[in-house]
Amino acid sequence: MMNRKRRVGALLVAAITVIASGTFVDAQGFKTKPPTPADWSALAKLPDFSGVWEAVTVGRGGGAGRAGGPPRGPQLTPAYAEKKRALEGRRAEDNETANCLPPGMPGVMGQPYPYEFMLTPGKVTIVGEAYMQVRHIYTDGRPMPTDPDPTFNGTSIGRWEGDTLVVETIAFSDTTNMDRNTPHSDKMKIVERFRLTEPDRMTIETTVTDPEALMAPWTTTRTLARHRDWTTREYICEENNRNYVDAQGKAGINLKDSPAEKKEQE
Amino acid sequence: MRKVLVIAAVIAAASSTSPIASAHHSFAAFDMTAEKTITGVVKKVDWTNPHIWIWVDVTESSGATETYGFEGMTPNFLSRRGWTRSSMQPGMKVSVTFRPMKDGKPGGMFVSGTLPDGKVLTMRGGETGQ
């Protein structure tokens, strides 16, 4: 008991010392410094990604990024092609997003909803309106953590190559898929290249690699348009979700507590 | 013909193998090959995520009243394309065109609605299944 207290005390002293020095050091020795006025000014030299963006194809009755024909799907290794066949064999009518579970990467970037980009010193933050998802992309030079916990949107590190933001993301939850009925291994890596092609047009080139699941890198491109007059809106999927998919993959509509159901009970 | 093409595009989008796939849910609960139109009085509008729901009281041929539920797009999409939470209001007599639910429950996927003043509301090209 005393030992634990003493340990906590020592940690506190260490933490206070770090805070007092204005520098934070992570497990890999990377120092995080508070932003200076010069750091804020330096943002003005970067391409202006600020504001709310949406894929150009949203609302046109088709999916995004399909100009020029259907995109090439991922070329799976025999083992993962077999996994995909098995999943397709279930003939699931829907996936867990119907139950409000976010899709994770890369699907979270393919939504028919807007994205808001925010640049602050050493960081790019992307808010995806669908499922109210947030991606934290560190551009302060820190290294990729050696063994991050698997998460839906992964762990991202970014860097600027001229006017292109290059983002590398690893460590994805095994409950998400790289594509429909297509699982990924724990070695999946996603590299995204964001750049402005016109003042209010952005392209995102996304390349997925996975030495266990993919025979070759899988690259897709999406074009977003900026809407200066838009704001992102709240999206609480659980607010009134009447769609569902059950454990057997059967999709349906739930009328519980609806005016229709109440009518039936009257 | 144009309508058929749009529907085909929507279905193709929903079944694509791109990571850019349809969001939230598939069209599996709806009969996408059928289209019905009914007339009734708006009982309630749920201007909610992930989808709006428009509840309409319909007098059946038997004389009984049935409440139909129609699923539309998200208010996020619609509010950027001309809809407001009061575009359809309780008490309005409307006719609604929809894709019926496969399980036979009264209602389906909202395609379009005609208001008392003749104005037609659609999902503005949105994929209702999203």
Short mmCIF file of all heavy atoms in Angstrom, two decimals, chain A residues 150-186:
data_model
loop_
_atom_site.label_atom_id
_atom_site.label_comp_id
_atom_site.label_asym_id
_atom_site.label_seq_id
_atom_site.Cartn_x
_atom_site.Cartn_y
_atom_site.Cartn_z
N PRO A 150 -5.01 -1.41 -31.35
CA PRO A 150 -5.87 -1.38 -32.54
C PRO A 150 -7.14 -0.57 -32.27
O PRO A 150 -7.76 -0.74 -31.22
CB PRO A 150 -6.22 -2.86 -32.78
CG PRO A 150 -5.30 -3.65 -31.92
CD PRO A 150 -4.89 -2.76 -30.79
N THR A 151 -7.49 0.30 -33.20
CA THR A 151 -8.70 1.12 -33.06
C THR A 151 -9.44 1.18 -34.40
O THR A 151 -8.89 0.79 -35.43
CB THR A 151 -8.37 2.55 -32.60
OG1 THR A 151 -7.43 3.12 -33.52
CG2 THR A 151 -7.79 2.59 -31.20
N PHE A 152 -10.66 1.66 -34.38
CA PHE A 152 -11.47 1.73 -35.61
C PHE A 152 -10.77 2.58 -36.67
O PHE A 152 -10.71 2.19 -37.83
CB PHE A 152 -12.84 2.34 -35.31
CG PHE A 152 -13.84 1.33 -34.81
CD1 PHE A 152 -13.56 0.57 -33.68
CD2 PHE A 152 -15.03 1.13 -35.45
CE1 PHE A 152 -14.46 -0.37 -33.21
CE2 PHE A 152 -15.95 0.19 -35.01
CZ PHE A 152 -15.66 -0.56 -33.88
N ASN A 153 -10.29 3.76 -36.28
CA ASN A 153 -9.71 4.67 -37.26
C ASN A 153 -8.18 4.61 -37.30
O ASN A 153 -7.55 5.34 -38.05
CB ASN A 153 -10.18 6.10 -37.00
CG ASN A 153 -11.68 6.24 -37.22
OD1 ASN A 153 -12.27 5.45 -37.95
ND2 ASN A 153 -12.29 7.20 -36.58
N GLY A 154 -7.60 3.73 -36.49
CA GLY A 154 -6.16 3.54 -36.50
C GLY A 154 -5.40 4.69 -35.88
O GLY A 154 -5.98 5.65 -35.36
N THR A 155 -4.08 4.59 -35.92
CA THR A 155 -3.20 5.63 -35.39
C THR A 155 -2.49 6.28 -36.57
O THR A 155 -1.90 5.59 -37.40
CB THR A 155 -2.18 5.01 -34.42
OG1 THR A 155 -2.90 4.51 -33.28
CG2 THR A 155 -1.14 6.01 -33.96
N SER A 156 -2.59 7.61 -36.64
CA SER A 156 -2.11 8.33 -37.83
C SER A 156 -0.97 9.28 -37.52
O SER A 156 -1.00 10.00 -36.52
CB SER A 156 -3.25 9.15 -38.45
OG SER A 156 -4.30 8.33 -38.88
N ILE A 157 0.00 9.28 -38.43
CA ILE A 157 1.09 10.25 -38.41
C ILE A 157 1.11 10.89 -39.81
O ILE A 157 0.98 10.18 -40.81
CB ILE A 157 2.45 9.55 -38.14
CG1 ILE A 157 2.48 8.97 -36.73
CG2 ILE A 157 3.62 10.50 -38.37
CD1 ILE A 157 2.46 9.98 -35.61
N GLY A 158 1.24 12.22 -39.84
CA GLY A 158 1.25 12.90 -41.14
C GLY A 158 2.51 13.71 -41.35
O GLY A 158 3.24 14.01 -40.40
N ARG A 159 2.76 14.03 -42.61
CA ARG A 159 3.87 14.93 -42.95
C ARG A 159 3.50 15.69 -44.21
O ARG A 159 2.68 15.21 -45.02
CB ARG A 159 5.18 14.16 -43.15
CG ARG A 159 5.14 13.22 -44.33
CD ARG A 159 6.44 12.44 -44.51
NE ARG A 159 6.40 11.65 -45.74
CZ ARG A 159 5.87 10.45 -45.84
NH1 ARG A 159 5.35 9.85 -44.79
NH2 ARG A 159 5.86 9.81 -47.01
N TRP A 160 4.08 16.87 -44.37
CA TRP A 160 3.82 17.65 -45.58
C TRP A 160 4.94 17.41 -46.58
O TRP A 160 6.11 17.59 -46.26
CB TRP A 160 3.73 19.14 -45.23
CG TRP A 160 2.49 19.46 -44.45
CD1 TRP A 160 2.37 19.50 -43.09
CD2 TRP A 160 1.19 19.74 -44.98
NE1 TRP A 160 1.07 19.79 -42.73
CE2 TRP A 160 0.32 19.95 -43.88
CE3 TRP A 160 0.67 19.83 -46.27
CZ2 TRP A 160 -1.03 20.24 -44.03
CZ3 TRP A 160 -0.68 20.13 -46.43
CH2 TRP A 160 -1.52 20.33 -45.32
N GLU A 161 4.56 16.95 -47.78
CA GLU A 161 5.51 16.83 -48.88
C GLU A 161 5.11 17.91 -49.86
O GLU A 161 4.22 17.72 -50.68
CB GLU A 161 5.42 15.45 -49.54
CG GLU A 161 6.01 14.34 -48.68
CD GLU A 161 5.98 12.97 -49.37
OE1 GLU A 161 5.55 12.89 -50.54
OE2 GLU A 161 6.39 12.00 -48.71
N GLY A 162 5.73 19.08 -49.75
CA GLY A 162 5.29 20.23 -50.55
C GLY A 162 3.88 20.59 -50.14
O GLY A 162 3.59 20.79 -48.96
N ASP A 163 2.98 20.59 -51.14
CA ASP A 163 1.59 20.95 -50.87
C ASP A 163 0.71 19.74 -50.59
O ASP A 163 -0.51 19.85 -50.55
CB ASP A 163 1.02 21.72 -52.06
CG ASP A 163 1.58 23.14 -52.11
OD1 ASP A 163 2.12 23.60 -51.08
OD2 ASP A 163 1.48 23.77 -53.18
N THR A 164 1.33 18.58 -50.45
CA THR A 164 0.54 17.36 -50.22
C THR A 164 0.71 16.89 -48.77
O THR A 164 1.82 16.79 -48.26
CB THR A 164 1.02 16.24 -51.17
OG1 THR A 164 0.87 16.70 -52.52
CG2 THR A 164 0.20 14.97 -50.99
N LEU A 165 -0.41 16.64 -48.13
CA LEU A 165 -0.39 16.05 -46.80
C LEU A 165 -0.39 14.53 -46.97
O LEU A 165 -1.30 13.97 -47.57
CB LEU A 165 -1.62 16.48 -45.99
CG LEU A 165 -1.81 15.79 -44.64
CD1 LEU A 165 -0.70 16.17 -43.66
CD2 LEU A 165 -3.18 16.11 -44.05
N VAL A 166 0.67 13.90 -46.48
CA VAL A 166 0.79 12.45 -46.59
C VAL A 166 0.54 11.85 -45.19
O VAL A 166 1.23 12.20 -44.23
CB VAL A 166 2.18 12.03 -47.11
CG1 VAL A 166 2.27 10.51 -47.26
CG2 VAL A 166 2.48 12.72 -48.44
N VAL A 167 -0.43 10.99 -45.11
CA VAL A 167 -0.83 10.43 -43.81
C VAL A 167 -0.68 8.92 -43.84
O VAL A 167 -1.19 8.24 -44.74
CB VAL A 167 -2.30 10.80 -43.48
CG1 VAL A 167 -2.72 10.18 -42.14
CG2 VAL A 167 -2.48 12.31 -43.45
N GLU A 168 0.03 8.43 -42.84
CA GLU A 168 0.21 6.99 -42.71
C GLU A 168 -0.59 6.54 -41.49
O GLU A 168 -0.50 7.16 -40.43
CB GLU A 168 1.71 6.73 -42.50
CG GLU A 168 2.13 5.33 -42.78
CD GLU A 168 3.64 5.19 -42.61
OE1 GLU A 168 4.39 5.96 -43.23
OE2 GLU A 168 4.04 4.33 -41.82
N THR A 169 -1.35 5.47 -41.67
CA THR A 169 -2.20 5.01 -40.57
C THR A 169 -2.04 3.50 -40.39
O THR A 169 -2.06 2.75 -41.37
CB THR A 169 -3.68 5.36 -40.83
OG1 THR A 169 -3.77 6.76 -41.11
CG2 THR A 169 -4.56 5.04 -39.64
N ILE A 170 -1.89 3.08 -39.15
CA ILE A 170 -1.74 1.64 -38.84
C ILE A 170 -2.60 1.30 -37.62
O ILE A 170 -3.17 2.18 -36.99
CB ILE A 170 -0.27 1.26 -38.54
CG1 ILE A 170 0.24 2.02 -37.30
CG2 ILE A 170 0.64 1.54 -39.73
CD1 ILE A 170 1.53 1.44 -36.71
N ALA A 171 -2.65 0.04 -37.30
CA ALA A 171 -3.28 -0.49 -36.07
C ALA A 171 -4.80 -0.33 -36.08
O ALA A 171 -5.37 0.59 -35.51
CB ALA A 171 -2.68 0.17 -34.83
N PHE A 172 -5.45 -1.27 -36.78
CA PHE A 172 -6.90 -1.21 -36.94
C PHE A 172 -7.59 -2.35 -36.18
O PHE A 172 -7.11 -3.48 -36.18
CB PHE A 172 -7.27 -1.30 -38.43
CG PHE A 172 -6.59 -0.24 -39.25
CD1 PHE A 172 -5.41 -0.52 -39.93
CD2 PHE A 172 -7.10 1.04 -39.31
CE1 PHE A 172 -4.76 0.46 -40.67
CE2 PHE A 172 -6.47 2.03 -40.04
CZ PHE A 172 -5.29 1.73 -40.72
N SER A 173 -8.71 -2.03 -35.62
CA SER A 173 -9.52 -3.02 -34.90
C SER A 173 -9.88 -4.17 -35.84
O SER A 173 -10.20 -3.95 -37.01
CB SER A 173 -10.80 -2.33 -34.42
OG SER A 173 -11.77 -3.30 -34.09
N ASP A 174 -9.85 -5.39 -35.31
CA ASP A 174 -10.20 -6.51 -36.19
C ASP A 174 -11.71 -6.67 -36.33
O ASP A 174 -12.19 -7.60 -36.98
CB ASP A 174 -9.53 -7.82 -35.74
CG ASP A 174 -9.94 -8.22 -34.34
OD1 ASP A 174 -10.88 -7.61 -33.80
OD2 ASP A 174 -9.33 -9.17 -33.80
N THR A 175 -12.48 -5.76 -35.74
CA THR A 175 -13.93 -5.80 -35.98
C THR A 175 -14.32 -5.02 -37.24
O THR A 175 -15.46 -5.06 -37.67
CB THR A 175 -14.73 -5.22 -34.80
OG1 THR A 175 -14.38 -3.84 -34.64
CG2 THR A 175 -14.45 -5.95 -33.50
N THR A 176 -13.35 -4.30 -37.83
CA THR A 176 -13.67 -3.54 -39.04
C THR A 176 -13.16 -4.29 -40.27
O THR A 176 -12.29 -5.17 -40.17
CB THR A 176 -13.02 -2.14 -39.02
OG1 THR A 176 -11.60 -2.29 -39.07
CG2 THR A 176 -13.40 -1.37 -37.77
N ASN A 177 -13.68 -3.92 -41.43
CA ASN A 177 -13.26 -4.51 -42.69
C ASN A 177 -12.55 -3.48 -43.55
O ASN A 177 -12.80 -2.29 -43.43
CB ASN A 177 -14.48 -5.02 -43.47
CG ASN A 177 -15.02 -6.31 -42.88
OD1 ASN A 177 -14.27 -7.09 -42.28
ND2 ASN A 177 -16.30 -6.54 -43.05
N MET A 178 -11.66 -3.96 -44.45
CA MET A 178 -11.04 -3.01 -45.38
C MET A 178 -12.01 -2.70 -46.51
O MET A 178 -11.94 -1.66 -47.14
CB MET A 178 -9.70 -3.52 -45.92
CG MET A 178 -9.79 -4.52 -47.04
SD MET A 178 -8.23 -4.64 -47.96
CE MET A 178 -7.17 -5.48 -46.80
N ASP A 179 -12.93 -3.63 -46.77
CA ASP A 179 -13.91 -3.48 -47.84
C ASP A 179 -15.05 -4.42 -47.48
O ASP A 179 -14.95 -5.21 -46.53
CB ASP A 179 -13.25 -3.86 -49.18
CG ASP A 179 -14.08 -3.45 -50.38
OD1 ASP A 179 -14.90 -2.53 -50.25
OD2 ASP A 179 -13.90 -4.06 -51.45
N ARG A 180 -16.12 -4.36 -48.26
CA ARG A 180 -17.28 -5.20 -47.96
C ARG A 180 -16.88 -6.67 -47.87
O ARG A 180 -16.24 -7.21 -48.78
CB ARG A 180 -18.31 -5.00 -49.07
CG ARG A 180 -19.64 -5.67 -48.80
CD ARG A 180 -20.64 -5.22 -49.85
NE ARG A 180 -20.87 -3.78 -49.74
CZ ARG A 180 -22.04 -3.24 -49.39
NH1 ARG A 180 -23.06 -4.00 -49.14
NH2 ARG A 180 -22.17 -1.94 -49.30
N ASN A 181 -17.23 -7.31 -46.78
CA ASN A 181 -16.93 -8.73 -46.57
C ASN A 181 -15.44 -9.06 -46.67
O ASN A 181 -15.07 -10.20 -46.95
CB ASN A 181 -17.70 -9.60 -47.58
CG ASN A 181 -19.18 -9.67 -47.25
OD1 ASN A 181 -19.57 -9.68 -46.08
ND2 ASN A 181 -20.01 -9.70 -48.27
N THR A 182 -14.61 -8.06 -46.51
CA THR A 182 -13.17 -8.26 -46.70
C THR A 182 -12.40 -7.85 -45.44
O THR A 182 -12.19 -6.66 -45.22
CB THR A 182 -12.66 -7.44 -47.89
OG1 THR A 182 -13.51 -7.68 -49.01
CG2 THR A 182 -11.23 -7.79 -48.24
N PRO A 183 -11.99 -8.81 -44.63
CA PRO A 183 -11.24 -8.45 -43.43
C PRO A 183 -9.82 -8.01 -43.79
O PRO A 183 -9.36 -8.19 -44.92
CB PRO A 183 -11.18 -9.76 -42.63
CG PRO A 183 -11.98 -10.76 -43.39
CD PRO A 183 -12.20 -10.25 -44.76
N HIS A 184 -9.14 -7.43 -42.82
CA HIS A 184 -7.73 -7.05 -42.99
C HIS A 184 -6.94 -7.79 -41.93
O HIS A 184 -7.50 -8.31 -40.97
CB HIS A 184 -7.57 -5.54 -42.82
CG HIS A 184 -8.09 -5.02 -41.52
ND1 HIS A 184 -7.39 -5.16 -40.33
CD2 HIS A 184 -9.26 -4.41 -41.19
CE1 HIS A 184 -8.10 -4.63 -39.35
NE2 HIS A 184 -9.24 -4.18 -39.84
N SER A 185 -5.64 -7.84 -42.12
CA SER A 185 -4.79 -8.43 -41.09
C SER A 185 -4.33 -7.32 -40.15
O SER A 185 -4.63 -6.14 -40.38
CB SER A 185 -3.58 -9.13 -41.72
OG SER A 185 -2.59 -8.16 -42.03
N ASP A 186 -3.59 -7.69 -39.12
CA ASP A 186 -3.08 -6.64 -38.20
C ASP A 186 -1.90 -5.89 -38.82
O ASP A 186 -1.33 -5.01 -38.20
CB ASP A 186 -2.73 -7.24 -36.83
CG ASP A 186 -1.65 -8.31 -36.93
OD1 ASP A 186 -1.16 -8.58 -38.06
OD2 ASP A 186 -1.30 -8.89 -35.88
#
